[in-house]
Amino acid sequence: MTEGNFVDYVKMHVTSGNGGKGSAHLHREKYIQKGGPDGGDGGRGGHVILKGNSNLWTLIHLKFKRHIKAGHGAHGSSGRSTGADGEDAIIEVPLGTVVRDTETNNVLFEITEDGEEKIVAEGGMGGRGNWHFKSSTNQTPRYAQPGIPHEEKDITLELKVLADVGLVGFPNAGKSTLLSVLTSAKPKIADYEFTTLKPNLGIVKYRDFQSFVMADIPGIIEGAAEGKGLGYYFLRHIERNSILLFLIPADAKDIVEQYEILVDELRRYNPEMLDKERFVCISKSDMLDDELKSEISTILDKDLECNYMFISSVAQQGLTELKDKLWKMLNY
């Protein structure tokens, strides 16, 4: 998926359908005197519904659909005939879509399962026909209820990618390279910072035809909370990841310090993210000889709070062991 095709934020205006009017018809037929009221009810207005679709990975199909309208309910007619319901407007979205009220910014609901449906704007109820209002003292009511008007709402759709493993690291830590080696994804790779401007997803193939999903988000830097770099805009994409995989290059001045900076930025964004399982990979480790690895390991064993391992995406070192480790963390 190219960066230009990844859309994770859409605003739109939705309008449900009006309820149909009830009928005030009085029965008229040859040889039947005083047939009485037989006006039917109006049909329900169409709902605006969001539906989860596991085959979608982005909101690009909604990028230019800024106004969604459902159909109006038909009016009631004679013979107590109820009007047809208005056609529902169904908006298919990828799993992990959060729906907010644009005016209040309150979360209305989230779509997390395939086929899950949620009503974002309810259609108006149809009005009742005059036969509902007949009584012993009012045998020929000549009135019926109007339908209930439609509902309008401005909503914001935010996509939070659903992945098993989320890659976290500074720019140029090797996240995109690792994703390209472990999966069939083709992220942009270059020797300058902030190469990745949009999240990338890939499926890691494992033994016995099993697999898991890995997500690469743009790099974060110290001060992201103040808007430095790309800020926190893409961090919501790892809120739903089961495991946070930290990538720190072997040539970093202080591996432990970089890890702690990354953890602190995640804490400032959402403290609950620190409850996720964490694992550290020392990338670009093909630059290290055994003596340097031993010295770094001594420091990490003492000061690093979670497990780690050395890998090299370019030299294909440690990748099988990494997949084994991630699979074990995901399934045990």
Side-chain angles (χ1 to χ4, degrees):
M1 182 184 299
T2 63
E3 289 182 356
N5 289 335
F6 188 90
V7 177
D8 60 353
Y9 186 88
V10 169
K11 289 184 177 182
M12 60 174 54
H13 184 83
V14 296
T15 307
S16 61
N18 295 325
K21 295 189 296 185
S23 172
H25 187 268
L26 297 175
H27 187 71
R28 293 289 185 269
E29 189 174 347
K30 192 175 182 181
Y31 306 123
I32 297 179
Q33 299 178 359
K34 300 179 180 179
D38 69 344
D41 301 341
R44 170 186 62 78
H47 300 315
V48 179
I49 299 172
L50 265 68
K51 181 178 181 180
N53 186 337
S54 59
N55 294 319
L56 296 176
W57 293 93
T58 175
L59 297 171
I60 189 171
H61 62 294
L62 301 174
K63 184 176 181 180
F64 301 107
K65 292 184 178 180
R66 297 306 172 94
H67 297 274
I68 304 293
K69 292 183 179 181
H72 299 309
H75 303 321
S77 58
S78 60
R80 298 188 183 181
S81 296
T82 301
D85 291 342
E87 184 178 0
D88 294 332
I90 298 178
I91 306 170
E92 293 194 340
V93 295
L95 307 188
T97 300
V98 178
V99 184
R100 296 180 181 272
D101 185 307
T102 303
E103 293 185 5
T104 64
N105 204 39
N106 292 332
V107 175
L108 302 177
F109 53 81
E110 303 174 18
I111 301 292
T112 58
E113 297 181 7
D114 186 41
E116 179 183 4
E117 294 186 356
K118 296 279 190 180
I119 298 175
V120 68
E122 291 191 5
M125 292 180 58
R128 293 193 294 175
N130 63 346
W131 74 273
H132 287 282
F133 305 107
K134 66 180 181 179
S135 66
S136 59
T137 57
N138 186 12
Q139 296 183 0
T140 55
R142 287 179 166 80
Y143 54 84
Q145 289 181 329
I148 294 178
H150 63 264
E151 180 179 342
E152 293 188 55
K153 191 177 296 182
D154 290 310
I155 61 172
T156 301
L157 306 182
E158 294 180 356
L159 175 61
K160 293 184 179 182
V161 167
L162 294 173
D164 299 303
V165 180
L167 300 178
V168 182
F170 285 87
N172 265 15
K175 302 187 299 299
S176 296
T177 304
L178 177 62
L179 186 73
S180 68
V181 171
L182 292 182
T183 75
S184 297
K186 304 298 180 185
K188 184 178 180 180
I189 300 173
D191 59 353
Y192 54 85
E193 293 186 345
F194 299 113
T195 308
T196 302
L197 298 177
K198 297 283 187 180
N200 292 296
L201 285 176
I203 298 177
V204 180
K205 295 181 180 179
Y206 193 61
R207 297 184 175 93
D208 301 323
F209 303 103
Q210 296 171 318
S211 63
F212 57 91
V213 180
M214 180 175 286
D216 166 31
I217 68 164
I220 57 176
I221 63 174
E222 186 176 10
E226 287 75 41
K228 293 183 179 179
L230 295 178
Y232 280 169
Y233 183 73
F234 295 109
L235 280 182
R236 66 175 180 273
H237 290 295
I238 59 174
E239 282 187 304
R240 301 189 185 281
N241 300 165
S242 300
I243 298 172
L244 300 182
L245 180 60
F246 291 79
L247 252 68
I248 301 175
D251 56 354
K253 292 183 179 180
D254 190 326
I255 293 175
V256 175
E257 181 184 13
Q258 283 206 8
Y259 169 77
E260 291 176 348
I261 291 172
L262 291 169
V263 170
D264 184 60
E265 291 297 332
L266 294 182
R267 178 190 60 77
R268 296 171 69 181
Y269 172 72
N270 183 355
E272 294 182 0
M273 294 181 72
L274 300 188
D275 296 333
K276 297 180 180 294
E277 286 194 84
R278 284 172 266 165
F279 190 70
V280 176
C281 280
I282 313 303
S283 62
K284 307 178 184 179
S285 61
D286 54 312
M287 300 185 298
L288 306 175
D289 56 25
D290 292 339
E291 184 178 351
L292 276 174
K293 284 185 180 179
S294 178
E295 292 179 4
I296 293 174
S297 296
T298 301
I299 297 173
L300 298 182
D301 290 338
K302 178 183 177 182
D303 298 330
L304 196 64
E305 62 182 13
C306 64
N307 295 327
Y308 68 92
M309 67 181 298
F310 293 91
I311 67 166
S312 172
S313 302
V314 175
Q316 303 277 309
Q317 295 177 0
L319 300 184
T320 300
E321 293 80 359
L322 174 60
K323 289 195 287 186
D324 289 338
K325 177 64 177 177
L326 294 175
W327 183 258
K328 186 175 181 180
M329 294 174 67
L330 287 168
N331 293 277
Y332 296 97

